Amino acid sequence: MISVRDGQERILALLPGPVPPERIVVTRALGRVLAEDVVAPFDVPPADNSAVDGYAVGSGDVPPAGWRELDVVGDLAAGGVFAGRLAAGRALRIMTGAPLPAGADTVYPQEIVERTGDRVRVGPIAKAANVRFRGEDVEAGAIVVETGTLLRPQEIGLVTSLGLWQLEVHRRPRVALLSTGDEVAEPGTARRPGQIYDANRFTLRGSIEQCGGEVLDLGIVPDDRDVMAARLTDASRVADVVVTSGGVSVGAYDLVKAVLAELGAIDFWQVAMQPGRPLAFGRIGPAVFFGLPGNPVASLLTFLLFVRPALYRLGGRRRLFPPAWPARAGEPMRKKTGRREFKRGILAFRDGGWEVRTTGPQGSGILSSMVAGNCLIVLEEERGDVQAGELVTVEPFVEAF
Ligand code: AMP
Ligand code: MG
């Protein structure tokens, strides 16, 4: 038996380096992982500019008390530039975003002045009020988005604000995916008595895509040694990673083991966790191999614990593990010491704090517990039964982090 943490560390230690980068246009960059630091070529904003629609003045013309009248010398729209210097005793009508002319350092909002003809009456105001300063968002030469960052809409907007329109990102890791078992039937087709429809290939497909991977769907492989050997060999030639579900326990028809003993360097692990004990990990040719258990909850859980961090690492991401935080147990929970247990939980903010309850029956075949849940409740190895009110660790289900 190995611990979850040991398993995760061994996997990360044995992975090859990240998949190579490619250059793409920003409109395709959402959800991709940056493979370069993005450096600002200039200050943003590039010049001091007005934060409001109003009147730009030199602070020397601001009356310390009472009021003063200034001549309005022009009207500057956003996108325009005022040629020349604003002289003393003058004000420039200015729109939000327009650059301040030389000689101006303060802007009156239009609501607090009185305009009559070509003159404007102003009162006291703080020096530099309503000015957005050159470089206050981003300074020239600064790293604005670091390599390894997952690109969200805001990162992409920041990049385009620098005038850039292409980015170096990691290629998506290619993940070949297949289900094993004579009993597994393709949804949308008729099934024979004794067969079940494939769940794992679809939970795993979505999970791989959410991790930024590209899925190569190799379908369902029967419990037949030669067919499986051929399919796995094909998979290893086209993919960075091969993921299978089923066939890794010790049942008579569990062939993945036997086939892999011939094809590659594979370890079979008993992980001290519940659900999801058996797991195979290693390499087939150039590809990294994960053999996940067949039970639907166990396959998804072992994916989240072991495959997700590996795909993130291969995809070039910096953050590999999801956020977790403490929550109050809303009910007692059974727990065996010596293994890490993962219950599906419903997390809610109640009475001023986070509270979590289980989704009900927790069997490793009960996929509806994943559907009802919005988090995992992580009960650490040393822990025994949990009383209501104790703090437990929760990991919310999030698409990406
Ligand atoms: P195995 O590890 O192959 O012995 O499978 C363990 C359990 O998971 C059995 O009840 C299988 O029928 C079930 N199972 C295996 N593969 C799938 C799948 N792709 N979708 C749903 N259930 C599966
Ligand atoms: Mg099987």
Side-chain angles (χ1 to χ4, degrees):
M1 283 269 193
I2 63 167
S3 69
V4 170
R5 176 67 58 82
D6 278 351
Q8 289 170 329
E9 281 172 5
R10 286 192 207 183
I11 288 168
L12 293 176
L14 289 170
L15 285 182
V19 293
E22 59 184 353
R23 207 157 180 83
I24 61 168
V25 299
V26 290
T27 47
R28 297 184 171 275
L30 187 65
R32 303 296 294 270
V33 179
L34 200 58
E36 61 180 352
D37 286 334
V38 174
V39 175
F42 50 76
D43 289 329
V44 180
D48 294 353
N49 67 88
S50 179
V52 295
D53 292 343
Y55 293 85
V57 303
S59 50
D61 280 333
V62 172
W67 52 269
R68 188 165 176 184
E69 281 202 350
L70 303 171
D71 292 326
V72 178
V73 294
D75 200 332
L76 186 61
V81 175
F82 184 74
R85 199 181 166 81
L86 189 67
R90 308 264 161 96
L92 176 69
R93 168 108 176 109
I94 194 167
M95 304 310 280
T96 306
L100 258 60
D105 60 6
T106 301
V107 182
Y108 285 96
Q110 61 191 16
E111 300 80 11
I112 67 165
V113 303
E114 193 171 313
R115 169 96 183 243
T116 316
D118 282 346
R119 293 179 70 74
V120 65
R121 193 160 110 140
V122 301
I125 193 170
K127 181 176 174 177
N130 303 306
V131 175
R132 302 194 290 218
F133 292 101
R134 168 181 181 159
E136 75 172 23
D137 189 358
V138 175
E139 280 185 46
I143 295 175
V144 293
V145 195
E146 266 183 88
T147 185
T149 302
L150 175 69
L151 295 170
R152 302 171 299 172
Q154 54 266 52
E155 278 84 25
I156 296 171
L158 189 57
V159 162
T160 60
S161 80
L162 301 173
L164 305 174
W165 72 288
Q166 291 181 329
L167 284 172
E168 193 94 339
V169 299
H170 288 280
R171 166 165 81 58
R172 294 181 186 282
R174 295 191 189 108
V175 185
L177 176 62
L178 55 88
S179 293
T180 70
D182 288 340
E183 81 280 25
V184 183
E186 187 69 34
T189 68
R191 69 176 168 181
R192 298 190 306 273
Q195 280 197 308
I196 54 161
Y197 283 120
D198 194 347
N200 299 347
R201 221 166 86 248
F202 299 91
T203 55
L204 294 172
R205 161 190 275 273
S207 301
I208 291 163
E209 287 177 347
Q210 283 185 338
C211 288
E214 186 184 312
V215 175
L216 307 166
D217 189 340
L218 301 185
I220 301 164
V221 181
D223 289 317
D224 175 293
R225 198 185 180 102
D226 295 336
V227 178
M228 193 177 297
R231 205 76 69 87
L232 286 174
T233 307
D234 289 349
S236 72
R237 293 208 178 102
V238 291
D240 302 302
V241 178
V242 178
V243 176
T244 66
S245 72
V248 291
S249 57
V250 284
Y253 295 95
D254 290 352
L255 286 174
V256 174
K257 262 186 189 179
V259 171
L260 285 171
E262 294 166 15
L263 291 186
I266 309 288
D267 267 345
F268 288 86
W269 295 347
Q270 294 295 321
V271 185
M273 63 183 279
Q274 163 75 26
R277 217 157 70 135
L279 178 73
F281 170 72
R283 313 204 43 147
I284 309 177
V288 176
F289 174 81
F290 290 92
L292 307 182
N295 279 310
V297 175
S299 68
L300 183 50
L301 185 64
T302 50
F303 178 92
L304 295 175
L305 290 172
F306 302 107
V307 187
R308 181 171 62 185
L311 287 184
Y312 278 7
R313 171 65 65 76
L314 287 173
R317 290 199 206 184
R318 271 178 299 139
R319 276 202 71 169
L320 305 184
F321 295 100
W325 64 75
R328 207 169 56 231
E331 64 187 34
M333 298 171 197
R334 306 284 293 166
K335 166 69 172 59
K336 276 199 191 143
T337 55
R339 66 187 192 186
R340 186 170 282 230
E341 292 186 17
F342 297 87
K343 303 193 187 289
R344 276 67 69 206
I346 301 171
L347 180 65
F349 199 76
R350 196 171 284 132
D351 301 329
W354 290 103
E355 186 184 276
V356 68
R357 292 169 175 272
T358 67
T359 54
Q362 296 287 309
S364 66
I366 301 182
L367 190 53
S368 54
S369 68
M370 281 280 191
V371 174
N374 61 7
C375 70
L376 291 176
I377 304 169
V378 184
L379 301 177
E380 292 82 2
E381 286 78 355
E382 62 281 8
R383 190 151 198 168
D385 288 343
V386 174
Q387 310 302 319
E390 283 181 26
L391 288 181
V392 293
T393 304
V394 294
E395 269 183 28
F397 290 143
V398 283
E399 257 188 48
F401 47 83

